[in-house]
Amino acid sequence: MVIGIAFTEAIKDVLPVLFSITSFASIAKLMGQFEMTQQIAQSIVDVLDGTPALYAVFMPIIGALGSALTGSTTTSNFLFGRLQVNTARKLGLINELTGRNSVFEVGAAQVLGATTGEIISPMNAVVITVMQGVGGGEASLIRRLLFVAMLWMAATMAISTAFIAPTDGGLD
């Protein structure tokens, strides 16, 4: 009897999370099917053509934007992972023939950036303050974490640049 009640409560707790992840995965799939990510990637390429190292600097910011808005690194990766890979390929940052980077390095930059967004995500701030019983202090919490997030973002941008930027501008 107790197991049944615990199971029912667990399902009630998990369903909103499953719904959220499924929704974002569906949106990401639709964006791919309708070539939305390719269009966004092409727009970025049009602006940054000739300066691929600049995109390597900004890759983590795209990841951070996704997780700051959604509160989830996973969701940010669903939404922007394909965009990052498409853009990096078009800018020549990924070249399978020469072994120059791969989707893994680009994915790492996306994930690093997404972890920054989680630090200052309003959704996460709400969860933290509610769990601590101090609801309403979200803005204060985000302000207190902003400096840490900025330091971490600077570090992720440096790492991304060092490992992904073209050979004449990177460390490898």
Side-chain angles (χ1 to χ4, degrees), residues 65-134:
L65 177 65
S67 61
L69 294 173
T70 65
S72 166
T73 297
T74 302
T75 304
S76 177
N77 296 338
F78 271 129
L79 290 174
F80 295 127
R82 183 173 291 167
L83 168 71
Q84 298 272 39
V85 169
N86 288 343
T87 305
R89 272 200 178 110
K90 289 180 180 199
L91 287 170
L93 294 172
I94 295 176
N95 187 333
E96 285 89 0
L97 296 175
T98 64
R100 173 79 192 130
N101 293 321
S102 72
V103 296
F104 300 112
E105 286 90 353
V106 172
Q110 163 65 29
V111 171
L112 277 173
T115 60
T116 305
E118 278 207 54
I119 295 171
I120 56 169
S121 168
M123 179 194 281
N124 291 345
V126 168
V127 170
I128 290 166
T129 56
V130 167
M131 300 214 35
Q132 293 299 317
V134 293

Side-chain angles (χ1 to χ4, degrees), residues 3-69:
I3 291 176
I5 292 169
F7 182 76
T8 302
E9 287 179 15
I11 293 295
K12 285 180 185 177
D13 289 344
V14 169
L15 279 178
V17 174
L18 288 175
F19 178 75
S20 175
I21 291 173
T22 303
S23 297
F24 283 114
S26 298
I27 289 168
K29 188 68 172 172
L30 285 171
M31 287 175 72
Q33 284 296 118
F34 290 101
E35 298 185 357
M36 295 164 109
T37 53
Q38 292 87 332
Q39 278 301 120
I40 295 169
Q42 188 57 53
S43 297
I44 294 170
V45 169
D46 291 344
V47 171
L48 297 178
D49 195 28
T51 57
L54 193 56
Y55 183 67
V57 172
F58 287 106
M59 290 174 94
I61 293 174
I62 294 171
L65 177 65
S67 61
L69 294 173

